[in-house]
Amino acid sequence: PYAYRAVGPRGRTSSCMLEEVLDTLELQGEEDETEEEERVLELAKTLYEQAEHGSVLVSVIGKMQNELFHARQDLQKLVAISDREMLAHHQDRVKWLENRIEQVLLLHRQSVLDWKRSKAASTTNSSRSMGSD
């Protein structure tokens, strides 16, 4: 029932503030489009996308950890009453949730590493093309 969101000054969410920055940069870009402004605009868009992705990730992991917490509580209750059939089911549930959280975090880590590699490759390619001009 709890939503995770980053709140900035005066209760605005970080995505709201990023949208305002993007709007401002886009307006400035229309007036005088230079390469520097385009790079700043692209950086702002990238940061916005990363913030949105991070926000979703935090929400998903939070919900999964909450579910894991309740699964562990159920498991402790079953240990106390010695219900072997239900105990095995809930042990499998706890293991599955732990593994799933780990998989989600590993996928996120891999996507961040892939993004960094692609960013480094594009930076290298753009510096090479500038040098050849």
Side-chain angles (χ1 to χ4, degrees), residues 83-97:
D83 185 350
R84 289 192 182 270
E85 184 179 318
M86 291 300 289
L87 186 62
H89 171 73
H90 282 275
Q91 284 174 332
D92 291 343
R93 179 179 167 212
V94 167
K95 286 178 188 175
W96 182 87
L97 284 166

Side-chain angles (χ1 to χ4, degrees), residues 20-38:
E20 289 175 13
V21 169
L22 286 174
D23 291 343
T24 303
L25 289 172
E26 285 176 356
L27 289 175
Q28 289 175 353
E30 290 173 1
E31 294 171 3
D32 185 22
E33 290 188 16
T34 64
E35 287 184 30
E36 183 65 27
E37 288 173 344
E38 288 176 12

Side-chain angles (χ1 to χ4, degrees), residues 10-95:
R10 293 172 280 189
R12 294 184 302 172
T13 62
S14 58
S15 61
C16 252
M17 291 185 286
L18 280 171
E19 287 178 20
E20 289 175 13
V21 169
L22 286 174
D23 291 343
T24 303
L25 289 172
E26 285 176 356
L27 289 175
Q28 289 175 353
E30 290 173 1
E31 294 171 3
D32 185 22
E33 290 188 16
T34 64
E35 287 184 30
E36 183 65 27
E37 288 173 344
E38 288 176 12
R39 279 187 269 156
V40 169
L41 183 60
E42 187 62 35
L43 177 62
K45 286 180 181 179
T46 301
L47 291 173
Y48 176 77
E49 290 169 1
Q50 288 177 345
E52 287 295 315
H53 178 75
S55 175
V56 169
L57 180 69
V58 167
S59 179
V60 167
I61 293 298
K63 290 176 183 181
M64 291 174 78
Q65 286 180 333
N66 189 32
E67 180 68 22
L68 180 59
F69 172 77
H70 289 289
R72 286 180 176 155
Q73 281 186 330
D74 292 345
L75 187 61
Q76 288 175 349
K77 290 175 188 174
L78 290 171
V79 167
I81 61 172
S82 300
D83 185 350
R84 289 192 182 270
E85 184 179 318
M86 291 300 289
L87 186 62
H89 171 73
H90 282 275
Q91 284 174 332
D92 291 343
R93 179 179 167 212
V94 167
K95 286 178 188 175

